[in-house]
């Protein structure tokens, strides 16, 4: 039996080269091939011939090719096996005279894979033109697994051509979506640790079959239980995914491949790994998002099976967590992140998880740097690898070189220093050099946000996004839970006004436990106040919870996405109904109540007189207002950065709001992301904004900016620029030049 013979060869106490030489001889004779060669990928991207039976031995460690070059390079590049009866007629064939391979016609090459990485290529060749059978291809792929272990063990490092290194575990610079600001240096903690397979080759195939059957049985049972329970047991375990699991777990082709792998001599766990490697190689190169999703499902199922077979734990225990943990996961629910010890968390990297994912909200609230949408990160890293996350740029450095690490350590240090300086500004009044007071407020949405009020010196919570409680919960929060949250919030910051915004769901914000409406244009669809008015029961429950919680206090309630005055009137009528109800039942009334709207829908810009006459306050939701003004989806990376909010058109629109508010004596705040960026905030002060609400981390930088700003100067500067009608799509450069000339820190 070949695998047994190979295992013996691997255990022999000989040099790495001698071992490899022996292995190729065994493979060649077993496959009845004249040639067997092993190529290993180096860190310069070239494949080096490491051993051969049949080709010219002088070529060993001398012949190299680029990944992508020739048949071998092509296999490395595509990570797919290639079987040809007439290799030389293949367009990718490239002839290396030193190897003497011109006399061999048939060619079978398979990638040496570990995780999703190609470590090398294993080839057999025959003189005669022959077709390799499916079994032969699979047998060679199984043998390649053994070679992968050998490469991964590091022993081949000693025989690589002098001056070179094997590519395994190279430093990698990856790019994803910048999700939560900050720089974190630390070590990889796989949210779902991978199983390390210790025993590849089995003594007794029958026993392995039985082990596989038992494990399958138990995994199937646990999936059925989860499905029967009908709820999601945790993140990523929604019904649909479970159904897919069930489908795979009973899939005949998959089961047959597992059994074949066992009958070739592998242990049950090695068989699972082997079949999964295959599936991964096949599916990974597909761009079809549906197929890639299925690969994830299959990966998860294989992972469950491996855990079942080896008995290894599914979660990292808290004691095993390094002090500087960077969690790496495919996807993660908000609750799972909260389960980790905050003191040890330095960052989060996800394969999914865009900026508006729910876990992103938590990461930002906890101040943990996060990068999302990093392709393939799980396969590329190993437990405990060194890793750096830059949540401000979306960069991830895996196994960084010392100079890269030093640069990021410096960046992190500078940030910490700046943070300290901002902290010192906390108690200074936010007043411009010419004495104009600017209200700096904070956006929040969860209890974990509240300590930031004190830390930053925010004057109020200018926007409390009540939907966050709904988004991170596993089930719809009941009236009592809503009341508890609102009351706890006001109790936690008794001297600080809180502007509660009613439920803003729909569009990009969906609730995991509610079925999603299929809408062609969700951003323009049934969302926020539209849902609230169509389902008054929902909105009234929330309003009642708020008003009860605000008994004896000053209350501020704000409605999102209001497009017409009538919508506000109807919402206000619901509030009044609830007040009547509370009064009738002798509840304590809020001592004052102010009602306002978010200005997010452009129609309001041309109804300001009527709107400002009815509301107590307005707050500009520039995130949504921008997306509607430019007709550019805020979450679609292709278009979201296409237009600059510092365009004259936008600034004129924003100025029309403050101009009208001045006439009506109305209170106006801006609570979108632009209010938290110093340069944008400077322009906003220039068009009349005196109150900005922003994420806590932005308060320091914005305050530092305005303490050095002359409000009169920036106002005339922006007013003049806007009057010039330049037709420019942005006045960013002019504003930057202004800040530089005036020494305003950005
Ligand atoms: C906005 O749209 O600017 C806003 C503050 O609301 P959200 O980001 O929650 O939609
Ligand atoms: Mg909004």
């Amino acid at each position: 039996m070949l695998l047994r013979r190979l295992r013996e060869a691997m255990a022999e106490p000989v040099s790495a080269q001698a071992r490899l030489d022996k292995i190729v001889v065994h493979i060649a004779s077993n496959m009845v091939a004249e040639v067997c060669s092993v190529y290993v990928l180096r860190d310069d991207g070239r494949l080096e011939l490491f051993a051969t039976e049949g080709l010219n031995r002088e070529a060993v460690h001398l012949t190299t090719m680029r990944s992508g070059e020739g048949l071998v390079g092509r296999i490395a590049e595509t990570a797919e096996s290639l079987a040809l009866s007439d290799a030389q007629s293949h367009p990718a064939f490239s002839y290396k005279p030193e190897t003497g391979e011109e006399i061999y016609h048939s060619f079978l090459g398979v990638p040496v894979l570990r995780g999703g990485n190609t470590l090398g290529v294993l080839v057999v060749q025959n003189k005669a033109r022959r077709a390799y059978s499916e079994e032969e291809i699979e047998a060679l792929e199984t043998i390649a697994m053994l070679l992968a272990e050998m490469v991964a063990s590091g022993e081949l490092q000693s025989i690589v051509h002098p001056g070179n290194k094997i590519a395994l575990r190279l430093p990698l610079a990856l790019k994803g979506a910048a999700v939560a600001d900050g720089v974190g240096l630390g070590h990889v903690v796989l949210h779902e640790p991978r199983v390390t397979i210790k025993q590849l080759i089995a003594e007794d195939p029958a026993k392995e079959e039985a082990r596989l059957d038992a494990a399958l049985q138990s995994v199937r049972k646990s999936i059925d239980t989860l499905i029967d329970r009908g709820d999601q047991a945790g993140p990523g375990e929604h019904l649909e995914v479970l159904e897919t699991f069930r489908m795979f777990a009973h899939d005949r082709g998959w089961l047959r491949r597992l059994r074949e792998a066992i009958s070739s001599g592998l242990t049950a766990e090695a068989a699972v790994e082997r079949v999964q490697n295959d599936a991964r190689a096949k599916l990974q190169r597909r761009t079809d998002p549906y197929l890639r999703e299925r690969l994830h499902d299959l990966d998860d199922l294989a992972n469950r099976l491996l855990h079942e077979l080896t008995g290894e734990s599914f979660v990292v225990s808290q004691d095993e967590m390094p002090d500087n943990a960077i969690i790496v996961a495919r996807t993660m629910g908000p609750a799972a992140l909260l389960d980790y010890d905050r003191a040890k968390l330095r960052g989060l990297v996800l394969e999914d998880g865009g900026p508006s994912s729910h876990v992103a909200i938590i990461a930002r609230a906890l101040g943990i740097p996060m990068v999302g949408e990093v392709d393939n990160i799980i396969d590329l890293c190993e437990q405990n690898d060194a890793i750096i996350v830059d949540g401000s740029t979306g960069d991830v450095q895996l196994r960084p070189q010392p100079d890269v690490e030093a640069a990021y350590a410096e960046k992190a240090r500078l940030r910490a220093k700046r943070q300290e300086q901002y902290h010192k500004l906390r108690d200074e009044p936010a007043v411009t050099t010419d004495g104009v007071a600017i209200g700096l407020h904070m956006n929040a949405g969860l209890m974990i946000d509240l300590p930031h009020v004190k830390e930053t010196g925010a004057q109020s919570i200018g926007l409390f996004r009540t939907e966050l409680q709904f988004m991170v919960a596993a089930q719809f929060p009941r009236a009592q839970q809503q009341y508890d949250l609102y009351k706890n919030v006001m109790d936690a910051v008794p001297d600080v006004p809180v502007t509660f915004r009613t439920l803003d769901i729909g569009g990009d914000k969906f609730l995991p436990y509610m079925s999603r409406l299929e809408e062609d244009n969700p951003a323009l669809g049934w969302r926020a106040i539209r849902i609230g008015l169509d389902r008054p029961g929902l909105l009234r429950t929330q309003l009642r919870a708020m008003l009860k919680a605000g008994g004896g206090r000053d209350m501020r309630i704000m409605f999102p996405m209001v497009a017409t005055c009538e919508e506000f009137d109807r919402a206000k009528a619901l509030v009044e109904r609830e007040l009547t109800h509370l009064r009738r039942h002798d509840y304590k009334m809020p001592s004052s109540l102010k009602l306002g709207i978010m200005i997010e829908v452009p129609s309001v810009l041309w109804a300001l007189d009527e709107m400002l006459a009815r509301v107590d306050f307005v707050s500009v939701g520039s995130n949504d207002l921008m997306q509607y003004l430019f007709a550019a989806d805020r979450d679609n990376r292709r278009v979201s950065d296409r237009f600059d909010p510092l365009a004259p058109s936008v600034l004129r629109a924003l100025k029309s709001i403050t101009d009208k508010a001045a006439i009506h004596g109305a209170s106006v705040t801006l609570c979108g992301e632009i209010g938290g960026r110093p340069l944008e905030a400077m322009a906003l002060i220039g068009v009349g904004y005196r109150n900005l609400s922003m994420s806590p981390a932005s308060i320091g930088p914005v305050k530092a900016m305005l303490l050095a700003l002359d409000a009169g100067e920036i106002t005339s500067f922006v007013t003049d620029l806007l009057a010039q009608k330049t037709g420019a799509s942005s006045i960013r450069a002019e504003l930057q030049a202004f800040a530089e000339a005036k020494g305003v820190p950005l």
Side-chain angles (χ1 to χ4, degrees):
M1 175 129 211
L2 175 62
L3 278 177
R4 187 144 309 146
R5 214 170 302 142
L6 289 178
R7 186 178 58 167
E8 281 159 19
M10 288 190 127
E12 268 179 56
V14 292
S15 73
Q17 188 66 54
R19 191 185 332 281
L20 214 47
D21 290 343
K22 224 175 214 174
I23 287 174
V24 288
V25 172
H26 283 317
I27 298 173
S29 89
N30 193 271
M31 306 270 305
V32 202
E34 281 101 21
V35 174
C36 174
S37 318
V38 174
Y39 298 82
V40 177
L41 189 67
R42 300 194 316 215
D43 69 349
D44 60 355
R46 297 191 77 84
L47 290 145
E48 177 177 317
L49 180 64
F50 261 59
T52 186
E53 163 68 9
L55 296 187
N56 189 351
R57 277 184 197 250
E58 312 275 272
V60 170
H61 296 302
L62 290 178
T63 287
T64 66
M65 59 205 70
R66 271 181 295 109
S67 177
E69 178 190 355
L71 299 174
V72 170
R74 192 191 178 95
I75 292 165
E77 192 180 56
T78 59
E80 277 175 32
S81 304
L82 193 59
L84 302 166
S85 59
D86 184 10
Q88 285 159 40
S89 67
H90 192 280
F93 181 79
S94 107
Y95 172 51
K96 298 272 172 186
E98 72 274 18
T99 60
E101 67 178 327
E102 60 277 16
I103 50 172
Y104 303 103
H105 288 288
S106 323
F107 173 103
L108 168 59
V110 301
V112 176
L113 294 171
R114 192 175 150 87
N117 300 314
T118 302
L119 303 182
V121 176
L122 172 63
V123 175
V124 293
Q125 288 170 283
N126 283 80
K127 273 190 193 142
R129 287 189 171 82
R130 54 159 300 197
Y132 295 98
S133 69
E134 206 49 48
E135 287 75 44
E136 284 174 308
I137 300 173
E138 293 203 352
L140 200 63
E141 285 171 348
T142 301
I143 296 166
M145 273 180 80
L146 287 179
L147 282 172
E149 290 307 309
M150 206 172 158
V151 181
S153 75
E155 68 171 313
L156 298 185
Q157 198 68 58
S158 60
I159 55 171
V160 67
H161 187 267
N164 291 286
K165 276 205 209 115
I166 288 178
L168 181 74
R169 332 229 5 83
L170 281 182
L172 280 177
L174 306 166
K175 189 90 187 163
V179 173
D181 217 7
V183 177
L185 289 86
H187 289 94
V188 169
V189 171
L190 284 167
H191 179 51
E192 288 186 345
R194 236 195 319 266
V195 172
T196 35
I197 297 177
K198 297 185 186 84
Q199 192 68 16
L200 273 174
I201 297 165
E203 297 293 339
D204 178 0
K207 198 171 127 210
E208 296 306 311
E209 278 242 21
R211 286 183 64 225
L212 177 72
D213 284 338
L216 272 169
Q217 204 63 26
S218 135
V219 167
R220 281 185 195 135
K221 219 161 109 197
S222 70
I223 295 171
D224 287 345
T225 319
L226 285 174
I227 291 180
D228 290 344
R229 260 204 347 230
D231 59 6
Q232 76 283 352
E237 286 181 349
H238 305 302
L239 227 48
E240 234 175 279
V241 175
L242 292 172
E243 293 287 0
T244 316
F245 268 14
R246 176 144 74 180
M247 195 180 81
F248 280 127
H250 291 271
D251 180 80
R252 291 250 190 87
W254 191 64
L255 297 176
R256 180 178 50 76
R257 284 191 292 279
L258 286 174
R259 292 195 203 294
E260 278 170 7
I262 288 182
S263 64
S264 76
L266 294 178
T267 57
E269 50 269 40
V272 174
E273 176 93 350
R274 154 93 177 80
V275 170
Q276 193 52 20
N277 267 346
D278 257 14
R280 226 185 255 140
K282 286 204 185 90
L283 289 174
Q284 214 158 53
R285 267 146 209 76
R286 303 289 188 87
T287 45
D288 180 345
Y290 176 79
L291 283 178
R292 290 183 64 98
E293 252 332 290
R294 297 291 74 77
L295 171 62
H296 285 172
D297 296 342
L298 200 54
D299 260 339
D300 289 343
L301 180 64
N303 206 23
R304 272 167 196 264
L305 209 48
L306 286 175
H307 281 284
E308 188 65 39
L309 282 164
T310 57
E312 278 187 37
S313 157
F314 237 124
V315 286
V316 190
S317 75
Q318 290 288 350
D319 317 338
E320 286 170 45
M321 280 264 287
D323 286 341
N324 52 4
I326 297 203
I327 310 291
V328 177
R330 175 155 300 126
T331 141
M332 195 189 235
L337 181 58
L338 286 168
D339 282 345
Y340 283 99
D341 177 358
R342 169 70 191 91
K344 292 179 171 180
L345 284 185
R346 292 290 175 277
L348 177 63
V349 184
L350 297 186
E351 284 191 7
D352 298 342
S356 52
S357 61
H358 304 158
V359 67
I361 296 166
I362 301 291
R364 280 193 287 261
L366 292 174
I368 298 166
M370 169 177 166
V371 174
E373 298 170 6
V374 182
D375 275 348
N376 225 11
I377 176 87
I378 306 268
D379 284 338
L380 296 173
C381 69
E382 302 262 351
Q383 200 74 279
N384 218 29
D385 272 349
I387 185 170
I388 298 170
V389 192
D390 188 340
S392 55
T393 59
D395 287 303
V396 174
Q397 304 286 344
L398 192 57
R399 303 180 285 267
Q401 308 265 34
D403 53 339
V404 172
E405 184 165 339
Y408 276 95
E410 179 62 13
K411 188 170 177 178
R413 211 178 53 78
L414 277 177
R415 282 183 66 98
K417 202 164 138 206
R418 238 181 290 136
Q419 233 46 58
E420 206 177 298
Q421 283 162 350
Y422 296 145
H423 195 70
K424 285 199 190 117
L425 298 179
R426 187 186 61 169
D427 300 322
E428 276 194 42
V431 180
T432 60
T433 54
D434 55 340
V436 178
I438 307 290
L440 297 182
H441 313 271
M442 195 186 101
N443 295 345
L446 296 166
M447 283 308 287
I448 50 175
D449 292 319
L450 297 185
H452 297 310
V453 174
K454 245 210 175 102
E455 284 161 23
T456 58
Q459 276 177 21
S460 86
I461 294 182
L463 166 64
F464 191 92
R465 292 178 163 110
T466 59
E467 63 275 9
L468 296 199
Q469 180 192 22
F470 289 71
M471 287 163 73
V472 302
Q475 278 148 15
F476 204 93
R478 307 260 150 235
Q480 181 66 34
Q481 288 164 300
Q482 297 180 37
Y483 166 83
D484 288 344
L485 175 69
Y486 309 143
K487 174 125 187 357
N488 289 341
V489 168
M490 288 190 279
D491 286 348
V493 286
D495 308 324
V496 171
V498 183
T499 302
F500 287 102
R501 178 174 74 183
T502 62
L503 206 50
D504 183 12
I505 47 169
D508 58 313
K509 300 168 184 163
F510 62 93
L511 307 181
Y513 40 84
M514 255 165 80
S515 56
R516 262 179 115 163
L517 262 191
E518 282 301 327
E519 292 184 302
D520 284 341
N521 289 303
L524 308 180
W526 198 53
R527 52 180 302 193
I529 191 73
R530 302 168 188 186
I531 299 181
L533 293 175
D534 291 354
R535 296 268 185 279
L538 199 82
L539 183 53
R540 278 177 50 198
T541 305
Q542 185 177 36
L543 290 170
R544 188 176 295 183
M546 279 177 188
L547 295 168
K548 269 198 216 169
R553 309 183 202 239
D554 296 325
M555 273 236 84
R556 292 168 64 86
I557 298 178
M558 168 160 83
F559 301 104
M561 303 293 300
V562 171
T564 64
C565 293
E566 189 222 343
E567 284 177 337
F568 173 75
D569 293 342
R570 287 174 59 198
K572 186 174 173 180
L574 289 178
V575 174
E576 272 155 9
R577 257 180 83 164
E578 285 316 308
L579 283 173
T580 312
H581 170 88
L582 294 182
R583 215 172 281 127
R584 201 175 299 139
H585 290 84
D586 283 338
Y587 278 101
K588 195 167 181 187
M589 290 290 153
S591 22
S592 74
L593 175 61
K594 299 237 181 296
L595 298 180
I597 63 154
M598 299 275 292
I599 298 187
E600 303 179 279
V601 182
S603 61
V604 174
L605 296 177
W606 290 274
L608 285 168
D609 285 322
E610 299 82 351
M611 197 62 99
L612 291 170
R614 331 168 116 71
V615 300
D616 297 313
F617 64 93
V618 294
S619 189
V620 180
S622 53
N623 304 339
D624 277 310
L625 188 59
M626 287 310 116
Q627 80 162 341
Y628 298 127
L629 284 177
F630 286 121
D633 184 345
R634 62 194 262 189
D635 290 321
N636 177 344
R637 278 205 277 168
R638 245 193 226 144
V639 296
S640 56
D641 294 334
R642 195 179 184 96
F643 304 101
D644 193 343
L646 292 178
S649 55
V650 174
L651 290 171
R652 285 183 197 127
L654 293 175
K655 188 168 182 313
S656 72
I657 301 172
T658 51
D659 286 348
K660 286 283 189 202
I663 296 169
H664 288 265
S667 140
V668 46
T669 305
L670 183 141
C671 61
E673 298 303 319
I674 56 171
R677 298 192 207 127
L679 181 71
E680 280 83 343
M682 181 182 86
L684 290 169
I685 293 173
V687 292
Y689 286 83
R690 296 295 175 259
N691 283 287
L692 302 171
S693 191
M694 59 196 76
S695 60
S698 298
I699 291 183
V702 169
K703 195 176 208 177
M705 178 279 295
L706 71 87
L707 289 177
L709 181 73
D710 185 308
E713 267 182 17
I714 187 68
T715 305
S716 21
F717 183 75
V718 176
T719 311
D720 288 351
L721 263 179
L722 293 183
Q724 279 168 19
K725 302 203 170 117
T726 56
S729 52
S730 165
I731 55 165
R732 181 171 296 271
E734 289 82 349
L735 288 164
Q736 255 155 356
F738 173 93
E740 206 159 299
K742 305 285 177 186
V744 178
L746 297 177

